Amino acid sequence: MIRPALLVLLMVGLAWPAKAEPLLSLGGKWAGAGWASREPGAPRERVRCRLTNRVDHALGRLSVSGTCAAPGRRFDLSGRMTAEGGRLSGRWSNPFGAGAANVSGRSRGQTMTVSFRGRDPDTGERFKVQMRWTIGDDRFSITTASAPIDGETYRVVGEIGFARTDG
């Protein structure tokens, strides 16, 4: 199975504080730490990330760039997400893992859920991912779960917490 949690870690800039268009309040710098596994049941790896988010209020768009690190490797990330009426959509690039993926989801209160599908570049196996964000003041946490494309049972493959670093 692909390393969906690593794709997720590359998409960590998708978390939004709870507001009418919460995406627009995520501009700035963020640092995070947590764990990810390459697949359900695999050993957990410690992961750290730093993100710089830019917001275009006129377009309702968040642009993300950053770097994540796990034992023995470092990887860059980039992406964009647009919010409209509680609906979220965008495209994210993950050079380590599934490559680029279209993402979509919804926000509700202090929680946001985003889903995407991908293919393991090593095995060709297809997978699906759901990510749930729990949002607080100047912080957020992400829990990520994955499943085979034809499976219904999602299993947790990562958790990471972020804090704003630019006050």
Side-chain angles (χ1 to χ4, degrees), residues 49-133:
C49 299
R50 292 207 173 269
L51 303 174
T52 299
N53 298 341
R54 290 180 175 72
V55 173
D56 182 328
H57 290 275
L59 296 176
R61 180 182 292 164
L62 173 69
S63 297
V64 176
S65 64
T67 302
C68 292
R73 65 188 174 282
R74 236 177 141 79
F75 37 92
D76 294 325
L77 64 110
S78 64
R80 69 184 185 287
M81 181 63 70
T82 302
E84 184 175 338
R87 292 184 190 159
L88 308 168
S89 62
R91 185 138 178 100
W92 298 89
S93 176
N94 171 7
F96 183 81
N102 290 322
V103 297
S104 63
R106 296 193 68 83
S107 59
R108 174 177 273 167
Q110 296 280 54
T111 303
M112 188 203 72
T113 303
V114 173
S115 300
F116 66 93
R117 294 173 182 241
R119 184 180 300 273
D120 185 315
D122 296 329
T123 67
E125 183 178 350
R126 295 176 64 210
F127 62 90
K128 55 188 176 181
V129 173
Q130 289 184 344
M131 297 173 289
R132 174 174 277 191
W133 284 262

Side-chain angles (χ1 to χ4, degrees), residues 1-2 4 38-40 116-120 123-130 145-157:
M1 182 176 220
I2 180 73
R38 292 181 182 265
E39 61 186 59
F116 66 93
R117 294 173 182 241
R119 184 180 300 273
D120 185 315
T123 67
E125 183 178 350
R126 295 176 64 210
F127 62 90
K128 55 188 176 181
V129 173
Q130 289 184 344
S146 71
I149 202 72
D150 58 354
E152 293 185 23
T153 303
Y154 283 82
R155 296 209 170 102
V156 174
V157 292

